[in-house]
Amino acid sequence: QVQLVESGGGLEQAGGSLRLSCVVFGNIFSINVMGWFRQAPGKQRELAAAITSGGSTNYTDSVKGRFTISRDNAKNTVYLQMNSLKPEDTAVYYCSARDTNWRWYWGQGTQVTVSS
């Protein structure tokens, strides 16, 4: 079993920066993909960024050049560094993980609000 705990969300001004953290508990060695999804009310959930166990990354077009996903294996933590924030980035951000059996795990979500 895997549990994910997010933190770092909050209020930020447009153009500012914010860093989200996701601590992974449980059978961390079974995880091969970590990602950050986001969802605004009434809208589809979308993948913002992902990182594989091999270190390769993937970003949705709207955040390329502004967001960076990274990990610290010693701390069992995945980060999402968000720079040049825009009001359209406002959403609930969910840390997610996929294990070697293609089972998905989800955090509780953290609210990110960007003011104009």
Side-chain angles (χ1 to χ4, degrees), residues 39-103:
Q39 186 171 28
K43 296 184 178 180
Q44 292 282 95
R45 182 179 298 181
E46 64 176 0
L47 178 65
I51 186 168
T52 70
S53 58
S56 62
T57 58
N58 186 41
Y59 302 93
T60 191
D61 288 341
S62 62
V63 309
K64 286 181 178 178
R66 299 188 298 118
F67 290 10
T68 303
I69 187 170
S70 62
R71 66 188 182 195
D72 186 336
N73 291 333
K75 297 181 179 180
N76 298 326
T77 302
V78 177
Y79 303 96
L80 184 66
Q81 179 67 47
M82 303 183 292
N83 297 326
S84 301
L85 283 166
K86 303 175 180 179
E88 65 192 70
D89 295 319
T90 297
V92 177
Y93 284 71
Y94 296 90
C95 182
S96 62
R98 192 190 75 186
D99 66 16
T100 54
N101 294 317
W102 278 40
R103 297 186 68 87

Side-chain angles (χ1 to χ4, degrees), residues 1-5 22-31 34 73 75-77 97 99 105:
Q1 185 65 36
V2 174
Q3 293 182 337
L4 309 173
V5 180
C22 175
V23 182
V24 184
F25 300 91
N27 187 17
I28 61 175
F29 300 104
S30 68
I31 302 300
M34 296 292 302
N73 291 333
K75 297 181 179 180
N76 298 326
T77 302
D99 66 16
Y105 303 88

